[in-house]
Amino acid sequence: DAGVIQSPRHEVTEMGQEVTLRCKPISGHDSLFWYRQTMMRGLELLIYFNNNVPIDDSGMPEDRFSAKMPNASFSTLKIQPSEPRDSAVYFCASSLRQGASGYTFGSGTRLTVV
Amino acid sequence: AQSVAQPEDQVNVAEGNPLTVKCTYSVSGNPYLFWYVQYPNRGLQFLLKYITGDNLVKGSYGFEAEFNKSQTSFHLKKPSALVSDSALYFCAVREVGFQKLVFGTGTRLLVSP
């Protein structure tokens, strides 16, 4: 298995532009998580899905952020409009819902908003 | 609510010496406990986990961790550190019956030659 695949690896965009981050979870995993990592806040859980359904989006910072999971093999995190304070590394992770499994993380997308 | 504390921002150790990275946790029920490692510009990689049973858990790259229920701790250890162990280490807890994995703030391990 290729693991959790995120794209792009790096994204530089201007303030006000729309940004879309993409994630392909591990085949067979039924849960997907979006995290944000910054120096100031560490790792923050933004939202997670079970069987493509959003379960908890309480970590989404504001309405500018939205996430979708149209099928079991694809998820997006969108920021519209982007702001400089959104600059961070965004990680996607997947896992099996049942049992005591941990998460498998992707390599992340480093977002810079200028 | 679940929480994890990693009291040290950074741990410095000389190569060949034993290392310990500390972690304490708080959950209402029983915990599943995890350690992850992050190398520069990479995602988090799973090192080891505690589910139940033996309190000493062995993981990847010679790391181990000891679960101590009375002290609510899950410290990461290695008998002999390598320079290549230098990285950011995260402790995480997931309460049994719940799905969220809550991470600590991370501890940077620096192993000097």
Side-chain angles (χ1 to χ4, degrees), chain A residues 11-44:
Chain A
E11 177 79 39
V12 180
T13 190
E14 292 185 347
M15 182 173 63
Q17 296 297 306
E18 178 179 296
V19 176
T20 299
L21 311 181
R22 296 171 177 79
C23 175
K24 176 180 168 53
I26 289 176
S27 177
H29 281 185
D30 51 7
S31 295
L32 183 139
F33 307 83
W34 282 101
Y35 280 84
R36 177 171 70 174
Q37 185 179 33
T38 61
M39 290 292 293
M40 292 298 295
R41 293 175 176 268
L43 271 168
E44 303 173 275

Side-chain angles (χ1 to χ4, degrees), chain A residues 56-93:
Chain A
D56 185 348
D57 65 354
S58 60
M60 297 286 261
E62 48 197 277
D63 292 346
R64 298 185 296 107
F65 287 69
S66 62
K68 294 182 179 180
M69 193 166 184
N71 57 61
S73 59
F74 184 65
S75 177
T76 60
L77 178 67
K78 186 175 294 186
I79 308 173
Q80 165 63 18
S82 59
E83 296 182 4
R85 61 192 167 117
D86 302 330
S87 297
V89 181
Y90 291 81
F91 289 104
C92 176

Side-chain angles (χ1 to χ4, degrees), chain A residues 9 31 33 35 37 43 45 48 50 56 58 91 96-97 99-103 105-107 110, chain B residues 32 34 36 38 41-46 49 51 88 90 94 99-105 108:
Chain A
R9 287 298 307 273
S31 295
F33 307 83
Y35 280 84
Q37 185 179 33
L43 271 168
L45 176 63
Y48 76 93
N50 285 341
D56 185 348
S58 60
F91 289 104
L96 290 170
R97 182 180 176 188
S101 60
Y103 301 173
F105 282 80
S107 298
R110 182 175 296 277
Chain B
Y32 296 139
F34 303 82
Y36 286 82
Q38 185 180 29
N41 301 313
R42 303 289 296 276
L44 277 71
Q45 298 177 31
F46 170 80
K49 68 180 177 183
I51 301 172
L88 187 58
F90 289 94
R94 175 182 167 184
Q99 198 171 1
K100 276 189 185 179
L101 193 56
V102 174
F103 286 86
T105 52
R108 187 163 301 280

